[in-house]
Amino acid sequence: VAAFSMSACAHHINTDSSELDAARTAIAEAKAAGAENCAPKLQAQAVASLYWAAHELTEVGYHPEENSELIARAEAKAKEARSQAKINCAPKPKPVAKPKVVEIIKLSGVNFANNSAELTPASISILDTAVATLKRRSDIIVEIAAHTSSRGAAAYNLSLSNKRAASVKDYLISHGVSANRLSSKGYGETQPIAVENNLADEAINRRVELRVMN
């Protein structure tokens, strides 16, 4: 109520006193930071405290200690309004567009030892073919994506798939594919391509793919 009363008669109150310099400056800085639009409640409280303090300076029976509290409140609220305005007025970050998969190269037959990221001997010839493809198509950027079945704990499957994707990446790099063209990521059991009713379905979901990203 007092704040609204002060706002109503603000044009009758002189706020030029040197005692109010710090509070006036803080309010001006908050205004410049956009507080009137982005932190209006705090800015209004600061202004109301300033005018109340200015009013008290003219009153009979003036109490310096009480007025110093009003002045300090005005300054504090203005500083709070300025800080809040910087947050509220800050432009919203633009969402970063995720790279789109433009092609998937399936590496059918790339397998690993049970509960391991160790490539099986039968996987080598398939990866050697992938090496040749990547060298021939030297302009493409590739994510190596590894997937598991839903057998076992989800967290374990995610960790295992990350290790398996990294294992394939290491193989490709060791055979001459530039590291800056490759990234690896495990998806665990989150992207199945078959409903798992039996072991054959699980085997379908356990897979490695090269995802062309450009």
Side-chain angles (χ1 to χ4, degrees):
V1 174
F4 284 115
S5 298
M6 285 297 99
S7 298
C9 61
H11 59 283
H12 298 302
I13 300 173
N14 183 2
T15 61
D16 293 336
S17 170
S18 60
E19 293 183 52
L20 305 175
D21 284 350
R24 275 200 316 274
T25 299
I27 289 171
E29 290 174 348
K31 181 179 180 180
E36 290 183 345
N37 293 320
C38 300
K41 182 177 180 180
L42 289 168
Q43 184 73 344
Q45 290 172 342
V47 171
S49 293
L50 174 71
Y51 279 112
W52 190 262
H55 171 74
E56 288 296 304
L57 287 173
T58 65
E59 286 292 286
V60 176
Y62 169 63
H63 299 287
E65 68 283 354
E66 293 180 7
N67 210 37
S68 64
E69 291 180 7
L70 284 170
I71 295 170
R73 173 182 166 80
E75 186 175 358
K77 286 294 181 181
K79 288 180 178 179
E80 189 179 351
R82 182 185 180 190
S83 297
Q84 193 62 46
K86 287 183 177 181
I87 296 171
N88 294 346
C89 287
K92 303 300 180 185
K94 294 181 179 179
V96 178
K98 294 182 179 179
K100 294 182 179 179
V101 180
V102 297
E103 179 186 355
I104 292 179
I105 301 172
K106 295 181 179 180
L107 299 182
S108 301
V110 171
N111 294 305
F112 304 86
N114 190 41
N115 291 326
S116 169
E118 180 183 351
L119 289 160
T120 61
S123 301
I124 301 305
S125 62
I126 298 167
L127 290 179
D128 287 342
T129 300
V131 168
T133 298
L134 291 171
K135 288 181 177 179
R136 186 177 69 253
R137 299 177 63 182
S138 59
D139 60 324
I140 61 174
I141 306 297
V142 170
E143 177 192 86
I144 300 147
H147 306 265
T148 69
S149 68
S150 63
R151 182 182 294 270
Y156 175 81
N157 288 336
L158 183 62
S159 174
L160 180 61
S161 65
N162 271 307
K163 292 175 183 176
R164 287 177 170 177
S167 180
V168 172
K169 178 183 176 182
D170 290 342
Y171 185 91
L172 298 178
I173 292 172
S174 69
H175 285 74
V177 180
S178 177
N180 60 15
R181 297 175 55 201
L182 303 175
S183 62
S184 65
K185 185 172 182 179
Y187 291 89
E189 60 188 71
T190 63
Q191 296 183 4
I193 56 176
V195 177
E196 294 181 5
N197 294 316
N198 49 51
L199 294 177
D201 295 333
E202 291 180 13
I204 292 172
N205 286 333
R206 287 193 298 268
R207 67 197 190 279
V208 179
E209 304 164 336
L210 300 183
R211 297 182 170 186
V212 181
M213 309 303 286
N214 67 330

